[in-house]
Structures are given as C-alpha cells and as structure tokens.
Amino acid sequence: MNGKKASKVYYKMDYESPLGRLTLASDGDALVGLWLPGQKYFEATVTGAVTKTKELSVFRVVKAWLDRYFAGEEPDISSLSLAPEGTPFRQEVWKILCQIPYGETITYGEIARQVAEKMDKPGMSPQAVGGAVGHNPISIIIPCHRVVGTDGRLTGYAGGIPAKVWLLKNEKVDLRRLTNPANRFMNF
C-alpha cells in the first residue's frame, strides 16, 4: 500500500415522489442521504465517487418505506438501515429527531434541552440545534420537518417551507396552530 486512504464509494438513485424527484444515496449497506430537489446542502455528505444504480437492496427497502409514507401510512424508521454522516453533536440531534412520533412536532428549544441533558451540560443553544437539524442528510425519514419554532412558527427546513407544510399535512398534523413568519403557504 502507498499509505493513501481509499476513497469511499457511494451509490445513488432517484425516487419520484409527490414533492418531486428525491435523490437517495447509499454506502452499499445503509442509506446515507435523501435529498429533496434544490435542498440546501444537497449531497454534502457524499464525498467519494458516485455510481448510479437501482439494484441495491437498501434502495429497494427505502423505496418501499417511502411508498408507504407517501400513501399516508406510518412506516417504522427502525426498519431501515441508516448511516448519516456528521459530527457527534449532529448525530445526537438526529437521534432525537428519529424519536419524534409521526404526526407530532417538537421545538428547537425542546431538542436543545434534551441534548443538553444527554451531554450533561447546563444548557444548549436552540440555534446550534437548528444548524444540526438543517444539515440532516436524510430528509423525510429522519423527520426534521417535524421541528418548529417555540411559538409554533414554521421555520428552517432545508427543503423549503412548502415541502415542510406538505409533509406535515401528509402526517395529518393540525396546522391551524402553526404560523409562517412570511405569511406565505398559510393555505393549509
């Protein structure tokens, strides 16, 4: 060996959804990414060579999960092999996101409180949590769309507020208690 680190190989495929063409990425064993069209940080965690394929078993399982989700069912996150890449802090935030029940929301402040408790700290910044939520590389499945501002504002979704509203409506969240600071997309 020449001492150089081998580059990671990733696989990706497209999935047609009611929100447009989603991009799925895998390391061959687990899902490492799921992005909406035009999403911030699109494919940011995919740092190696990428091969397009539909033949991976992980993609078949994720596609079936997404089919059920978009049909209005409540598929279980634990049935999927997920491996999002991120710092330990982001990983902790994403674990909390995975615990938000289908059809419910949580605030950035509540996530900050939970992270501080797990890390044995006196407090945690909701803005830092917002950064971790925004960098979630597995949208929809790791449900960052379920996070709202303390006062019920629909804020901070890397896939865009219209997509966040669509996902929450799909989960039958009572949107009447939520607001949008720009007064757009309020036609719930």
Side-chain angles (χ1 to χ4, degrees), residues 6 12-13 28 37 64 69 95 112 116 133 138 141-142 169 172-173:
K12 74 177 184 176
M13 71 164 283
Y69 176 83
K95 284 178 193 171
V133 170
I138 304 180
I141 294 172
I142 297 179
K169 284 173 88 172
K172 299 182 180 36
V173 170

Side-chain angles (χ1 to χ4, degrees), residues 40-62:
K40 283 173 90 172
Y41 315 113
F42 185 87
E43 294 186 20
T45 54
V46 175
T47 57
V50 179
T51 302
K52 207 161 190 175
T53 184
K54 294 180 183 178
E55 301 305 314
L56 292 177
S57 62
V58 66
F59 286 153
R60 286 190 290 279
V61 172
V62 170

Side-chain angles (χ1 to χ4, degrees), residues 57-139:
S57 62
V58 66
F59 286 153
R60 286 190 290 279
V61 172
V62 170
K63 182 184 176 303
W65 191 98
L66 289 169
D67 288 346
R68 291 183 61 213
Y69 176 83
F70 286 119
E73 296 179 33
E74 300 176 30
D76 187 1
I77 293 173
S78 68
S79 68
L80 301 173
S81 178
L82 305 177
E85 295 181 21
T87 65
F89 172 73
R90 287 180 179 175
Q91 294 284 342
E92 198 59 51
V93 170
W94 300 337
K95 284 178 193 171
I96 292 169
L97 295 179
C98 289
Q99 296 169 5
I100 306 168
Y102 179 96
E104 295 185 25
T105 60
I106 190 172
T107 66
Y108 293 96
E110 176 57 24
I111 294 172
R113 187 196 62 72
Q114 289 182 34
V115 171
E117 188 176 290
K118 285 185 177 191
M119 297 177 83
D120 199 27
K121 294 186 180 252
M124 178 67 57
S125 162
Q127 289 80 11
V129 166
V133 170
H135 282 85
N136 168 23
I138 304 180
S139 292

